[in-house]
Amino acid sequence: MPELPEVETVRRGLAPVMDGASIRRVEQRRPDLRFPFPDGFAARLTGRRIAGLSRRAKYLLADLDDGTVLVMHLGMSGRFLAETEEDIEAPGDFHHDTGHAEVHDHVVFHLQTVADAPARVTYNDPRRFGFMTLVPRAELSNHAHFRNLGVEPVGNALSADYLADRFAGKSAPLKAALLDQSIIAGLGNIYVCEALYRARLSPRRKASTLVTKAGQPRAALERLTEAIRMVIAEAIEAGGSSLRDYVQADGSLGYFQHRFDVYDREGEPCEKRGCRSRVRRIVQSGRSTFYCPDCQR
DNA sequence: CGAATGACCTGTGAGC
DNA sequence: TGCTCACAGGTCATTC
């Protein structure tokens, strides 16, 4: 799936179409994705106005005017296609259900934008690890998906002191600790690898070794905290600044990715810090970890 | 309790 | 070219 920066980029791409829009009609093309859609999903959305589109961790949240939130997760392979009237080559077809829908187009939102123009937002997800649900706004923070989420990796909540608190006594390797959504919400496999590389820390190192006996963050933990913040902030910025290029010709918003230092570069040279080693791939908790065995300790 | 593993799905690319 | 296998950005349920 898109990690947090990609989800944020998708949010920014959808916001111009969805913010303030009215939902005219919803096509729900199958009963479930990863989970069943809630009962009456399409009917409950029809006629609602979208007050705003936000994000928490890797979840997209559309606030509706009846006090519920449309929660959307992209799983591993989810993408959105946003089309406005001018994008449609054959305007006569615009209000019809697409006769050329892709196999994995599972949900289509037919909207009326704030500018009073028709628009269409299509959710496509081949692996169907994504899902959508409806949750009352007041219950959101207690909902199963959100109750245990940790802090956002950008913003003031993430600090070395916070991580020292969460890492103290933790025998799990750093890779696993950083993927734990109850500690930091939104970090995924790519950016964990990248942050550890930047902080020059081995993914196999025990999380507790970054904390002093008195529970204070060691210098390495200060470094890691800053690396996480920077890696995520830069990726969001790169996605945001290239949003125009990154929206596909067909209007689809999916992954944005720029060049990585270690991710998916097994056997290639570690190019920074002039260390001449090659990137290694190992498996930790069932997932690939990419790192430089020489400059990450 | 924490940590590791399997499960959920389809698509893609490498290797034979 | 066609087949098989390994692997893919995420969570959730189960097991040790």
Side-chain angles (χ1 to χ4, degrees):
Chain A
M1 145 211 178
E3 294 193 27
L4 186 153
E6 289 76 23
V7 176
E8 176 59 22
T9 300
V10 168
R11 189 196 69 75
R12 293 178 185 186
L14 291 179
V17 171
M18 294 185 85
D19 275 346
S22 295
I23 303 173
R24 307 289 297 266
R25 192 161 60 83
V26 176
E27 292 172 60
Q28 178 201 319
R29 300 214 171 116
R30 48 177 301 127
D32 56 15
L33 293 172
R34 178 166 184 199
F35 306 117
F37 285 93
D39 287 342
F41 178 73
R44 289 169 67 186
L45 290 170
T46 304
R48 300 275 64 78
R49 197 181 75 86
I50 299 169
L53 194 62
S54 56
R55 180 193 57 72
R56 170 75 171 110
K58 299 164 199 163
Y59 297 86
L60 281 171
L61 307 173
D63 260 293
L64 307 180
D65 62 358
D66 64 352
T68 65
V69 181
L70 167 59
V71 176
M72 297 174 280
H73 196 288
L74 301 171
M76 294 273 258
S77 58
R79 11 178 88 234
F80 278 99
L81 171 71
E83 297 164 290
T84 51
E85 194 170 29
E86 61 202 33
D87 297 327
I88 309 298
E89 290 178 49
D93 279 347
F94 186 66
H95 294 289
H96 297 125
D97 292 356
T98 61
H100 43 77
E102 313 243 355
V103 187
H104 300 301
D105 287 351
H106 304 307
V107 181
V108 184
F109 301 98
H110 296 266
L111 307 174
Q112 198 77 12
T113 70
V114 273
D116 211 30
R120 181 164 76 192
V121 170
T122 302
Y123 179 69
N124 177 285
D125 186 357
R127 291 176 77 178
R128 304 201 302 275
F129 287 171
F131 62 89
M132 296 188 190
T133 192
L134 291 165
V135 179
R137 182 82 226 180
E139 295 172 19
L140 197 66
S141 58
N142 280 323
H143 191 274
H145 290 121
F146 297 90
R147 196 167 41 214
N148 295 317
L149 283 183
V151 300
E152 291 280 322
V154 283
N156 297 328
L158 177 63
S159 66
D161 285 343
Y162 169 79
L163 286 182
D165 192 46
R166 301 299 305 267
F167 284 4
K170 216 175 175 36
S171 63
L174 284 173
K175 174 73 188 302
L178 293 179
L179 276 178
D180 183 343
Q181 301 295 296
S182 75
I183 299 177
I184 301 174
L187 281 191
N189 206 31
I190 294 177
Y191 295 106
V192 166
C193 293
E194 295 296 305
L196 286 169
Y197 175 77
R198 285 208 197 188
R200 308 194 307 277
L201 288 168
S202 168
R204 324 167 76 134
R205 185 162 162 175
K206 284 185 197 308
S208 60
T209 65
L210 302 191
V211 185
T212 67
K213 283 207 169 114
Q216 295 303 305
R218 296 189 191 279
L221 187 50
E222 306 273 3
R223 228 160 58 220
L224 178 59
T225 305
E226 191 56 18
I228 292 165
R229 297 169 66 104
M230 293 305 291
V231 160
I232 297 296
E234 284 172 22
I236 290 174
E237 171 57 28
S241 62
S242 71
L243 193 55
R244 184 184 310 240
D245 302 325
Y246 142 87
V247 172
Q248 312 288 314
D250 65 357
S252 67
L253 290 157
Y255 304 127
F256 166 75
Q257 57 182 45
H258 50 133
R259 262 190 97 261
F260 302 122
D261 288 330
V262 285
Y263 182 80
D264 203 21
R265 294 193 61 239
E266 182 181 17
E268 293 177 43
C270 167
E271 285 174 340
K272 290 190 177 169
R273 318 196 272 244
C275 92
R276 310 243 167 164
S277 282
R278 291 180 182 276
V279 174
R280 178 176 298 174
R281 183 178 86 93
I282 59 173
V283 174
Q284 293 178 291
S285 14
R287 325 252 345 241
S288 287
T289 295
F290 299 88
Y291 73 112
C292 172
D294 276 343
C295 58
Q296 290 178 253
R297 293 297 174 159

PDB file of all heavy atoms in Angstrom, chain A residues 118-129:
ATOM      1  N   PRO A 118     -20.224  18.346 -12.231  1.00  0.00           N
ATOM      2  CA  PRO A 118     -20.239  16.922 -11.950  1.00  0.00           C
ATOM      3  C   PRO A 118     -18.820  16.354 -11.899  1.00  0.00           C
ATOM      4  O   PRO A 118     -17.934  16.814 -12.624  1.00  0.00           O
ATOM      5  CB  PRO A 118     -21.032  16.332 -13.120  1.00  0.00           C
ATOM      6  CG  PRO A 118     -21.051  17.368 -14.174  1.00  0.00           C
ATOM      7  CD  PRO A 118     -20.784  18.690 -13.553  1.00  0.00           C
ATOM      8  N   ALA A 119     -18.616  15.381 -11.058  1.00  0.00           N
ATOM      9  CA  ALA A 119     -17.318  14.724 -10.957  1.00  0.00           C
ATOM     10  C   ALA A 119     -17.547  13.296 -10.517  1.00  0.00           C
ATOM     11  O   ALA A 119     -18.625  12.947 -10.017  1.00  0.00           O
ATOM     12  CB  ALA A 119     -16.417  15.443  -9.948  1.00  0.00           C
ATOM     13  N   ARG A 120     -16.515  12.505 -10.701  1.00  0.00           N
ATOM     14  CA  ARG A 120     -16.637  11.081 -10.422  1.00  0.00           C
ATOM     15  C   ARG A 120     -15.327  10.633  -9.791  1.00  0.00           C
ATOM     16  O   ARG A 120     -14.247  10.937 -10.307  1.00  0.00           O
ATOM     17  CB  ARG A 120     -16.867  10.403 -11.773  1.00  0.00           C
ATOM     18  CG  ARG A 120     -17.048   8.946 -11.775  1.00  0.00           C
ATOM     19  CD  ARG A 120     -17.650   8.496 -13.096  1.00  0.00           C
ATOM     20  NE  ARG A 120     -16.689   8.494 -14.188  1.00  0.00           N
ATOM     21  CZ  ARG A 120     -17.019   8.355 -15.475  1.00  0.00           C
ATOM     22  NH1 ARG A 120     -18.287   8.269 -15.829  1.00  0.00           N
ATOM     23  NH2 ARG A 120     -16.102   8.333 -16.393  1.00  0.00           N
ATOM     24  N   VAL A 121     -15.413   9.930  -8.688  1.00  0.00           N
ATOM     25  CA  VAL A 121     -14.223   9.412  -8.006  1.00  0.00           C
ATOM     26  C   VAL A 121     -14.360   7.899  -7.926  1.00  0.00           C
ATOM     27  O   VAL A 121     -15.334   7.387  -7.376  1.00  0.00           O
ATOM     28  CB  VAL A 121     -14.067  10.020  -6.597  1.00  0.00           C
ATOM     29  CG1 VAL A 121     -12.981   9.295  -5.814  1.00  0.00           C
ATOM     30  CG2 VAL A 121     -13.751  11.516  -6.693  1.00  0.00           C
ATOM     31  N   THR A 122     -13.391   7.190  -8.495  1.00  0.00           N
ATOM     32  CA  THR A 122     -13.453   5.731  -8.579  1.00  0.00           C
ATOM     33  C   THR A 122     -12.362   5.105  -7.725  1.00  0.00           C
ATOM     34  O   THR A 122     -11.203   5.511  -7.799  1.00  0.00           O
ATOM     35  CB  THR A 122     -13.261   5.281 -10.044  1.00  0.00           C
ATOM     36  OG1 THR A 122     -14.271   5.899 -10.849  1.00  0.00           O
ATOM     37  CG2 THR A 122     -13.359   3.764 -10.180  1.00  0.00           C
ATOM     38  N   TYR A 123     -12.746   4.130  -6.927  1.00  0.00           N
ATOM     39  CA  TYR A 123     -11.770   3.395  -6.120  1.00  0.00           C
ATOM     40  C   TYR A 123     -11.466   2.056  -6.783  1.00  0.00           C
ATOM     41  O   TYR A 123     -12.358   1.267  -7.051  1.00  0.00           O
ATOM     42  CB  TYR A 123     -12.302   3.160  -4.704  1.00  0.00           C
ATOM     43  CG  TYR A 123     -11.322   2.376  -3.861  1.00  0.00           C
ATOM     44  CD1 TYR A 123     -10.113   2.953  -3.465  1.00  0.00           C
ATOM     45  CD2 TYR A 123     -11.568   1.059  -3.502  1.00  0.00           C
ATOM     46  CE1 TYR A 123      -9.191   2.239  -2.723  1.00  0.00           C
ATOM     47  CE2 TYR A 123     -10.645   0.336  -2.750  1.00  0.00           C
ATOM     48  CZ  TYR A 123      -9.459   0.933  -2.371  1.00  0.00           C
ATOM     49  OH  TYR A 123      -8.546   0.224  -1.642  1.00  0.00           O
ATOM     50  N   ASN A 124     -10.195   1.825  -7.046  1.00  0.00           N
ATOM     51  CA  ASN A 124      -9.729   0.612  -7.713  1.00  0.00           C
ATOM     52  C   ASN A 124      -8.742  -0.096  -6.796  1.00  0.00           C
ATOM     53  O   ASN A 124      -7.875   0.552  -6.208  1.00  0.00           O
ATOM     54  CB  ASN A 124      -9.059   1.008  -9.041  1.00  0.00           C
ATOM     55  CG  ASN A 124      -8.477  -0.182  -9.785  1.00  0.00           C
ATOM     56  OD1 ASN A 124      -7.445  -0.723  -9.428  1.00  0.00           O
ATOM     57  ND2 ASN A 124      -9.154  -0.577 -10.854  1.00  0.00           N
ATOM     58  N   ASP A 125      -8.878  -1.420  -6.660  1.00  0.00           N
ATOM     59  CA  ASP A 125      -8.014  -2.128  -5.711  1.00  0.00           C
ATOM     60  C   ASP A 125      -7.917  -3.608  -6.075  1.00  0.00           C
ATOM     61  O   ASP A 125      -8.720  -4.430  -5.635  1.00  0.00           O
ATOM     62  CB  ASP A 125      -8.592  -1.960  -4.294  1.00  0.00           C
ATOM     63  CG  ASP A 125      -7.673  -2.547  -3.224  1.00  0.00           C
ATOM     64  OD1 ASP A 125      -6.624  -3.130  -3.554  1.00  0.00           O
ATOM     65  OD2 ASP A 125      -8.020  -2.406  -2.037  1.00  0.00           O
ATOM     66  N   PRO A 126      -6.930  -4.001  -6.881  1.00  0.00           N
ATOM     67  CA  PRO A 126      -6.817  -5.387  -7.332  1.00  0.00           C
ATOM     68  C   PRO A 126      -6.746  -6.397  -6.181  1.00  0.00           C
ATOM     69  O   PRO A 126      -7.398  -7.437  -6.227  1.00  0.00           O
ATOM     70  CB  PRO A 126      -5.515  -5.402  -8.140  1.00  0.00           C
ATOM     71  CG  PRO A 126      -5.323  -3.990  -8.576  1.00  0.00           C
ATOM     72  CD  PRO A 126      -5.920  -3.134  -7.500  1.00  0.00           C
ATOM     73  N   ARG A 127      -5.974  -6.117  -5.167  1.00  0.00           N
ATOM     74  CA  ARG A 127      -5.819  -7.127  -4.116  1.00  0.00           C
ATOM     75  C   ARG A 127      -6.927  -7.078  -3.074  1.00  0.00           C
ATOM     76  O   ARG A 127      -7.042  -7.991  -2.260  1.00  0.00           O
ATOM     77  CB  ARG A 127      -4.450  -6.971  -3.439  1.00  0.00           C
ATOM     78  CG  ARG A 127      -3.319  -7.359  -4.382  1.00  0.00           C
ATOM     79  CD  ARG A 127      -1.977  -7.118  -3.763  1.00  0.00           C
ATOM     80  NE  ARG A 127      -1.617  -8.142  -2.795  1.00  0.00           N
ATOM     81  CZ  ARG A 127      -0.460  -8.167  -2.154  1.00  0.00           C
ATOM     82  NH1 ARG A 127       0.429  -7.233  -2.369  1.00  0.00           N
ATOM     83  NH2 ARG A 127      -0.205  -9.115  -1.306  1.00  0.00           N
ATOM     84  N   ARG A 128      -7.658  -5.992  -3.061  1.00  0.00           N
ATOM     85  CA  ARG A 128      -8.784  -5.840  -2.127  1.00  0.00           C
ATOM     86  C   ARG A 128      -8.376  -5.960  -0.665  1.00  0.00           C
ATOM     87  O   ARG A 128      -9.096  -6.515   0.156  1.00  0.00           O
ATOM     88  CB  ARG A 128      -9.901  -6.855  -2.442  1.00  0.00           C
ATOM     89  CG  ARG A 128     -10.396  -6.783  -3.861  1.00  0.00           C
ATOM     90  CD  ARG A 128     -11.783  -7.378  -4.029  1.00  0.00           C
ATOM     91  NE  ARG A 128     -11.905  -8.753  -3.641  1.00  0.00           N
ATOM     92  CZ  ARG A 128     -11.629  -9.790  -4.423  1.00  0.00           C
ATOM     93  NH1 ARG A 128     -11.200  -9.579  -5.674  1.00  0.00           N
ATOM     94  NH2 ARG A 128     -11.783 -11.014  -3.992  1.00  0.00           N
ATOM     95  N   PHE A 129      -7.198  -5.451  -0.336  1.00  0.00           N
ATOM     96  CA  PHE A 129      -6.813  -5.357   1.066  1.00  0.00           C
ATOM     97  C   PHE A 129      -7.311  -4.053   1.666  1.00  0.00           C
ATOM     98  O   PHE A 129      -7.195  -3.828   2.861  1.00  0.00           O
ATOM     99  CB  PHE A 129      -5.294  -5.428   1.228  1.00  0.00           C
ATOM    100  CG  PHE A 129      -4.718  -6.792   1.008  1.00  0.00           C
ATOM    101  CD1 PHE A 129      -3.348  -6.968   0.943  1.00  0.00           C
ATOM    102  CD2 PHE A 129      -5.536  -7.905   0.876  1.00  0.00           C
ATOM    103  CE1 PHE A 129      -2.800  -8.222   0.756  1.00  0.00           C
ATOM    104  CE2 PHE A 129      -4.998  -9.167   0.683  1.00  0.00           C
ATOM    105  CZ  PHE A 129      -3.617  -9.323   0.628  1.00  0.00           C
TER     106      PHE A 129
END
